[in-house]
Amino acid sequence: MEKPPVVILAAGEGRRLSLGKGVPKPLTKFAGLTLLERAVRMWHKFGFTKFYVVVGHAKEEVTEGAKKIAAKLGVEIIPVENNEWPMGNGTSVLAASQLIDRPFFLQMVDHVFDAKTLQEFLKKTENAEITVLAIDPRVDSVLDIEDATKVKLEGEHILDIGKSLREYDAIDMGLFFCTPEIFESLRKSREQNGGKLSDGVRWLANNRRIKAVVLSTGQWFDIDKPEILRAAEQDLFERIKKSEDGLVSKHLNRQISFRISKRLSSLLSPNPTTGIAFCVALLGALLFTSGSYLATALAGVLIQLSSILDGCDGEIARIRLEASARGAWFDTVLDRYADALISLAVTYNMWMQMRTVWVWLGGFLALFAFVGVSYIKKEFKLRTGQEVKSSVFEKLTKRDLRLFGIFVGAIAGLPYHAMLVIAFITHLWMLHFIWTEMREKFKKGQEKSF
Amino acid sequence: MEKPPVVILAAGEGRRLSLGKGVPKPLTKFAGLTLLERAVRMWHKFGFTKFYVVVGHAKEEVTEGAKKIAAKLGVEIIPVENNEWPMGNGTSVLAASQLIDRPFFLQMVDHVFDAKTLQEFLKKTENAEITVLAIDPRVDSVLDIEDATKVKLEGEHILDIGKSLREYDAIDMGLFFCTPEIFESLRKSREQNGGKLSDGVRWLANNRRIKAVVLSTGQWFDIDKPEILRAAEQDLFERIKKSEDGLVSKHLNRQISFRISKRLSSLLSPNPTTGIAFCVALLGALLFTSGSYLATALAGVLIQLSSILDGCDGEIARIRLEASARGAWFDTVLDRYADALISLAVTYNMWMQMRTVWVWLGGFLALFAFVGVSYIKKEFKLRTGQEVKSSVFEKLTKRDLRLFGIFVGAIAGLPYHAMLVIAFITHLWMLHFIWTEMREKFKKGQEKSF
């Protein structure tokens, strides 16, 4: 079934947000993407491919921006001009009435939703037959309550809506599912009241032709001031931390990579970031082959830097809504290449000092430990569908700790020794893991899976 | 919901099968498992845990066998004695009537079904309210049509059933879903006709209290003669060939491993077989470190032998219905350990002849290629949910070819060179694969997955 079109209201001036900097509100950057691109990407993630973007203030610039987004994402974006935009956002919806004769979704360009919010809304409007307004009952967590559009409810029925309500139950999220009835209501209410969308909503509510649905699983922000933009960005950064992070990653790397990702996210997409982290590791590996203490120590620093940067690609992907299965795969594959090169270089570093075959035996053990441990975990997940149980022992075998160990070892002038210690621990864990899982299998008797 | 119990009829003598060897029919081995254990395991795979095994001929022996199976699989098996077994298999069903007051499944112990057959039957009897008989319309493929119980049909309705029917549409598969009505029908039919189960079925059919369901996706055999047992075993072996087999595996290894698995399946379970294949590889690796031509050539032979044995564990698992996710994981993990040891040993073999650091660099490249290529493929499958596309190039990177190449190289006295060539091809494929997949990603624009 074809997805309904999405109407994005991007005609307002947003004077409070731009602070006279001259960037129109829809083209204001939020965590690396313009508000307009972020809105389009979010719907696109859920399979929507047809958009009407209503433009008014700075219409040429915004239209230009919309065209670029359409080309980049391969979606259809139809700009709709609304010269009456100063009369209220209802006029922007009306401007699209000539083009749309079926149900559609509607959002304000400056309302930023996360995927959970949109997912919940799409689910709750699946069989909707009248217009639906998304509302948030968590009124205390709204950052700019004064400017928010408030809603007074009776069950799903909207009793009143407006910015100046004294008593209210929830906040209008600026996210709608609309039947074409909304156009009729806006025409009617405009004659009687004004050009605001909320006037049309009030008219629909009086005729019981709109219902409110509560969304409460995700996060959203109405970005109308610079300080809210900053707060919302901060909130986004906090939420993309990963629970499976290793010890070093959690307590050191993430603290730094966050700050870097924040700055890089508007400049770089995830895959080049993966490439940069790999090149830094490569440079570190090269320096290990020099042999001088200074080069070795610097190599260690580069290895640790690459470990920090390794967190950035995933963070940037999530900030920019560009997370992809192949991108994540590419990241882990380059990690394995980097690990192989690092273990080769560290082994060679030792070989220069001590020309015995045992050095290479240790190198082989390390290389197999570092690639093998990832293999064993991934293959386990693939075969059994289960996650590898996390423990401190298991965390000692993760990449963040491995590279940190080599970094510390390099500073102490003993990168090979540090690598061997980590390789030894990793081998122990692998044997422990195989032993535990196979014992479990035999305890349970025949495992059912075919 | 609790699964219904399963009644297994194992009271008959099966004189034609035993050929006077003295093994009771239920304890006759078929591809490594007794017919009784195979029947219990097959139901157990689908979550059934309560069995009534009706014993008659050689009842002490069969009861003893049933107890062992119950202990081994952790299921409940209740032996039911039927001293009237020579009067017909209907008396064996009746013997269980005192113990069962709810619907149950029923099978003849000497009818061997594959998982597909049982899966289809369970699905088609999910909402059954009357007794159901499984029938097979592929009458031409039944091996011993003379002895088969034939069925004459009108839609789902059974017009007649018996061994001596002249006209028939399908074959009785000896697999039933029964309501307790079957007991009543057997009592009635016994007075009028005889003690056969088919007499009871005829009575139910006349009263329209039984329907026939056609099963046609799987394979089954009525094992009542030694030649049918052998034919059925051969059929099973043919069907466990794997489509994703590599070139050497398909044309050489499987031909041999089949013959070995056939013999080993009654002696060894899959995991010890995995261990043996690993030990043979380990022995090969050790021999490589000797340095003499004879040891090197013998090492190559052992490596190839281990590659052949590597197919046996999976085959045995499938023959014995013991395939498990953890077992398959254990197999692939040991393969990686073996590959690492082999590449280390082959590198050392070269090092003894040529003491240059380049030998070890080549060894590192080989080790990373052999473990890395598996990692890259598995991680791809895990992340994207897609299979890696098979091609001749891709098949060159598989383990069967890798070990065969080292075997041929060892015979020629050049195992290291052979290993390097294979490692080089493998690295090329990895780069090609990464390039192809990432180009695809960028061509498609943003990939949807989050």
Side-chain angles (χ1 to χ4, degrees), chain B residues 106-125:
Chain B
L106 172 66
Q107 86 154 86
M108 315 295 122
V109 74
D110 54 353
H111 286 215
V112 171
F113 310 99
D114 64 2
K116 263 192 196 165
T117 299
L118 197 51
Q119 192 167 31
E120 190 184 357
F121 188 62
L122 291 175
K123 191 148 187 205
K124 288 188 171 170
T125 53

Side-chain angles (χ1 to χ4, degrees), chain A residues 29-283:
Chain A
K29 286 227 172 168
F30 170 76
L33 294 176
T34 65
L35 288 172
L36 183 57
E37 182 167 350
R38 179 168 294 273
V40 172
R41 271 182 192 265
M42 190 55 91
W43 290 97
H44 189 209
K45 253 179 184 287
F46 289 92
F48 292 83
T49 54
K50 184 163 190 169
F51 298 86
Y52 294 91
V53 174
V54 185
V55 297
H57 173 72
K59 62 185 175 190
E60 289 82 10
E61 248 177 294
V62 178
T63 302
E64 199 53 42
K67 278 184 188 162
K68 278 187 199 154
I69 296 165
K72 191 158 137 191
L73 302 181
V75 298
E76 186 184 1
I77 301 184
I78 299 148
V80 180
E81 279 191 31
N82 173 29
N83 293 320
E84 293 181 300
W85 63 269
M87 314 283 283
N89 55 358
T91 63
S92 289
V93 181
L94 266 179
S97 65
Q98 295 297 322
L99 302 165
I100 302 177
D101 57 359
R102 55 182 177 133
F104 60 96
F105 285 95
L106 173 67
Q107 86 154 86
M108 315 295 123
V109 73
D110 54 352
H111 285 214
V112 171
F113 310 98
D114 63 3
K116 263 192 198 166
T117 299
L118 197 52
Q119 190 167 32
E120 191 183 358
F121 188 61
L122 291 176
K123 191 151 187 199
K124 288 188 172 171
T125 54
E126 249 173 17
N127 302 309
E129 288 175 352
I130 58 170
T131 297
V132 179
L133 168 63
I135 55 162
D136 190 340
R138 298 168 296 179
V139 293
D140 294 336
S141 62
V142 171
L143 290 177
D144 186 10
I145 191 71
E146 228 173 273
D147 193 55
T149 302
K150 291 113 188 151
V151 182
K152 177 87 189 139
L153 294 167
E154 192 180 76
E156 287 188 332
H157 177 54
I158 296 167
L159 291 179
D160 203 2
I161 179 166
K163 289 201 176 183
S164 50
L165 292 196
R166 287 275 191 80
E167 278 180 38
Y168 50 87
D169 305 298
I171 304 300
D172 168 356
M173 291 171 71
L175 179 62
F176 294 78
F177 168 80
C178 298
T179 68
E181 242 178 352
I182 188 104
F183 300 129
E184 185 59 22
S185 80
L186 284 165
R187 273 184 212 111
K188 290 256 167 70
S189 65
R190 196 178 168 179
E191 289 158 22
Q192 295 159 20
N193 302 290
K196 280 190 199 150
L197 181 51
S198 53
D199 297 326
V201 170
R202 202 176 299 111
W203 190 92
L204 284 174
N206 290 340
N207 292 281
R208 302 253 165 176
R209 298 299 298 166
I210 185 168
K211 63 174 188 173
V213 303
V214 168
L215 302 187
S216 55
T217 57
Q219 270 294 333
W220 67 280
F221 291 95
D222 175 1
I223 311 281
D224 60 2
K225 290 180 192 166
E227 54 268 34
I228 293 181
L229 189 144
R230 279 192 297 271
E233 276 184 338
Q234 194 54 42
D235 179 82
L236 177 66
F237 290 125
E238 292 300 325
R239 275 180 301 119
I240 60 181
K241 280 181 192 167
K242 274 174 147 184
S243 58
E244 73 266 32
D245 274 346
L247 300 166
V248 178
S249 191
K250 190 174 168 189
H251 298 293
L252 175 69
N253 298 2
R254 284 280 179 215
Q255 312 297 331
I256 307 170
S257 65
F258 258 19
R259 296 198 169 81
I260 300 173
S261 298
K262 223 161 147 176
R263 278 170 182 73
L264 285 186
S265 64
S266 54
L267 302 169
L268 277 178
S269 59
N271 288 319
T273 315
T274 305
I276 291 171
F278 178 73
C279 289
V280 172
L282 189 66
L283 202 65

Side-chain angles (χ1 to χ4, degrees), chain A residues 41 44-47 72-73 115 119 242 269 271-272 320-330 332-334 336-338 340 343-345 347-348 351 355-357 360-361 363-365 367-368 371-372 374-384 386 427 430-431 433-434 437-438 440-442 444-450, chain B residues 41 44-47 72-73 115 119 242 269 271-272 320-330 332-334 336-338 340 343-345 347-348 351 355-357 360-361 363-365 367-368 371-372 374-384 386 427 430-431 433-434 437-438 440-442 444-450:
Chain A
R41 271 182 192 265
H44 189 209
K45 253 179 184 287
F46 289 92
K72 191 158 137 191
L73 302 181
Q119 190 167 32
K242 274 174 147 184
S269 59
N271 288 319
R320 291 167 61 110
L321 305 179
E322 286 178 353
S324 73
R326 275 184 177 69
W329 171 73
F330 184 59
T332 57
V333 165
L334 279 199
R336 297 296 85 73
Y337 273 96
S343 57
L344 176 61
T347 306
Y348 186 75
W351 170 253
R355 301 208 171 234
T356 156
V357 72
W360 287 104
L361 183 70
F364 254 76
L365 276 180
L367 173 59
F368 183 62
V371 183
S374 293
Y375 176 85
I376 286 182
K377 288 177 187 175
K378 297 302 170 76
E379 176 81 3
F380 183 77
K381 215 167 147 181
L382 190 63
R383 296 272 181 183
T384 67
Q386 296 167 18
H427 274 287
M430 291 198 287
L431 295 176
F433 181 54
I434 296 169
E437 290 301 329
M438 294 313 285
E440 184 121 319
K441 169 169 148 57
F442 286 110
K444 275 199 259 173
Q446 196 204 356
E447 193 182 12
K448 277 177 292 295
S449 87
F450 48 96
Chain B
R41 273 184 191 261
H44 189 209
K45 253 180 183 288
F46 290 91
K72 191 158 138 193
L73 302 180
Q119 192 167 31
K242 274 176 150 183
S269 58
N271 289 318
R320 290 167 60 110
L321 304 180
E322 285 178 355
S324 74
R326 275 183 176 70
W329 170 74
F330 184 59
T332 57
V333 165
L334 278 198
R336 297 296 85 73
Y337 273 96
S343 56
L344 176 62
T347 305
Y348 185 76
W351 168 254
R355 301 208 171 233
T356 157
V357 73
W360 287 103
L361 184 71
F364 255 75
L365 277 179
L367 173 58
F368 182 62
V371 184
S374 293
Y375 176 83
I376 286 181
K377 288 178 187 175
K378 297 302 170 78
E379 177 79 3
F380 183 78
K381 214 167 147 179
L382 190 62
R383 297 272 180 182
T384 67
Q386 297 166 17
H427 274 287
M430 291 198 286
L431 296 175
F433 181 52
I434 295 168
E437 289 301 328
M438 294 313 285
E440 185 122 321
K441 169 168 147 56
F442 285 109
K444 275 198 260 172
Q446 196 203 357
E447 193 183 13
K448 278 175 291 297
S449 87
F450 47 99

Side-chain angles (χ1 to χ4, degrees), chain B residues 120-138:
Chain B
E120 190 184 357
F121 188 62
L122 291 175
K123 191 148 187 205
K124 288 188 171 170
T125 53
E126 250 172 17
N127 302 308
E129 289 176 349
I130 58 171
T131 297
V132 179
L133 168 63
I135 55 162
D136 190 338
R138 298 169 294 179

